[in-house]
Amino acid sequence: MTEQQLDCALDLMRRLPPQQIEKNLSDLIDLVPNLCEDLLSSVDQPLKIARDKNVGKDYLLCDYNRDGDSYRSPWTNTYDPPLEDGAMPSDRLRKLEMDANAAFDLYREMYFEGGVSSVYLWDLDHGFAGVILIKKAGDGSKKIKGCWDSIHVVEVQEKSSGRSAHYKLTSTAMLWLQTNKLGSGTMNLGGSLTRQTETDTGVGDTSPHIANIGRMVEDMENKIRNILNEIYFGKTKDIVNGLRSVQSIPDERQQAALRNDLAIALQKRQAKTDN
């Protein structure tokens, strides 16, 4: 029964507005308290922003950089509030993490022209894993509000030869938009999408881990953007066009009558040909 309840709860969360995930998740946990741990670990929530006061830079908060009630900054590798024995990446991985943050900071600026990005890495037995976080919130200009949150979790298994690696990427994107215009009124549009991909790629000076992961994240985000555009924007446009016609009723009746006359004329012509 618990598995069925969890499936139903997750199915419900996928259909509710992303901008209200925290409230809806809290309400679900109040209804079914025994699913609290499973829901919190399974449902991706909109990313929150914190500021590293030491360097004056923003970074994103998630479960992957949290230890207890403290969060680790990718810029200074310190916890806030301070934590003496917090989890830290190895020296080799920390250097890779710093390079990855610099690379995805440029990627974010090129694609999103603003927002905040953070990369966190941690060690595994036969490689490492990491998460790439990107958040871009609309400023409400032109009477349009919105937010894009993308969470890319990557697992890297390095081969014994050291010349290749297996990459597994799980990406989740959450998007919501809200417009408030005099002609159309208030409209909310939102949704989330999760996709996964795996690949084996060579590793070397010309193709390091950051480049390989970057290509996978870039391709996945482009695919997710296209799917969201087709599903949410395209489907909404079709529904609106079906509910509201831009043509007047007399014009539509005239076109329908013309189509009917053409159909009758073609039938008569076909009947003469058969005779």
Side-chain angles (χ1 to χ4, degrees):
M1 183 65 181
T2 304
E3 291 185 4
Q4 185 179 2
Q5 286 179 329
L6 179 60
D7 290 340
C8 292
L10 293 175
D11 191 51
L12 179 61
M13 288 300 300
R14 282 192 290 268
R15 286 164 168 76
L16 293 172
Q19 65 268 37
Q20 299 175 6
I21 282 182
E22 290 181 330
K23 178 182 180 302
N24 294 330
L25 187 60
S26 176
D27 292 342
L28 270 177
I29 292 173
D30 288 341
L31 287 173
V32 195
N34 60 307
L35 293 180
C36 176
E37 187 175 342
D38 292 328
L39 284 172
L40 289 175
S41 62
S42 301
V43 177
D44 291 310
Q45 300 185 51
L47 302 168
K48 293 184 178 180
I49 302 174
R51 191 165 186 84
D52 191 326
K53 298 177 182 177
N54 295 322
V55 293
K57 285 187 175 182
D58 293 334
Y59 62 97
L60 296 170
L61 309 181
C62 68
D63 287 339
Y64 299 102
N65 71 320
R66 186 182 69 180
D67 196 333
D69 294 326
S70 300
Y71 292 89
R72 182 171 67 89
S73 166
W75 308 116
T76 57
N77 202 30
T78 57
Y79 278 91
D80 184 26
L83 192 65
E84 293 183 0
D85 56 347
M88 295 286 187
S90 61
D91 292 340
R92 165 184 170 267
L93 207 59
R94 173 57 186 160
K95 184 180 183 305
L96 186 63
E97 184 183 78
M98 293 171 64
D99 293 339
N101 272 285
F104 278 98
D105 199 41
L106 292 173
Y107 167 86
R108 171 197 53 75
E109 190 61 38
M110 292 175 63
Y111 269 93
F112 295 89
E113 297 181 356
V116 183
S117 65
S118 296
V119 181
Y120 303 102
L121 304 179
W122 58 93
D123 294 277
L124 298 177
D125 292 337
H126 301 287
F128 65 92
V131 61
I132 299 99
L133 310 172
I134 299 174
K135 183 181 185 71
K136 172 66 184 293
D139 56 4
S141 62
K142 300 180 181 178
K143 297 184 179 180
I144 298 175
K145 297 180 181 179
C147 188
W148 169 281
D149 292 276
S150 55
I151 303 169
H152 304 277
V153 180
V154 61
E155 181 180 342
V156 181
Q157 295 181 352
E158 297 172 317
K159 307 291 183 178
S160 56
S161 63
R163 297 180 180 177
S164 64
H166 179 76
Y167 299 88
K168 181 179 180 181
L169 178 69
T170 303
S171 300
T172 299
M174 291 171 280
L175 171 68
W176 68 270
L177 293 171
Q178 184 185 75
T179 62
N180 187 5
K181 296 184 178 181
L182 184 62
S184 58
T186 301
M187 184 185 73
N188 286 296
L189 186 64
S192 63
L193 196 65
T194 300
R195 290 292 184 269
Q196 190 176 84
T197 184
E198 297 184 45
T199 186
D200 289 302
T201 309
V203 180
D205 294 336
T206 58
S207 184
H209 284 305
I210 294 177
N212 294 338
I213 295 172
R215 278 192 293 269
M216 292 181 71
V217 170
E218 183 179 25
D219 291 342
M220 182 63 77
E221 284 211 332
N222 287 333
K223 289 178 182 177
I224 289 177
R225 268 192 292 266
N226 290 333
I227 293 173
L228 288 172
N229 184 56
E230 292 174 5
I231 293 176
Y232 296 107
F233 297 102
K235 191 66 176 177
T236 301
K237 185 178 180 181
D238 291 341
I239 293 172
V240 171
N241 288 339
L243 294 173
R244 178 189 175 192
S245 176
V246 296
Q247 290 182 320
S248 63
I249 294 178
D251 290 341
E252 287 190 353
R253 288 176 177 173
Q254 186 178 0
Q255 288 185 2
L258 180 60
R259 286 194 297 268
N260 188 48
D261 292 342
L262 287 173
I264 294 173
L266 289 172
Q267 288 177 358
K268 290 181 178 180
R269 186 174 182 181
Q270 184 66 35
K272 291 181 179 179
T273 304
D274 294 339
N275 294 332

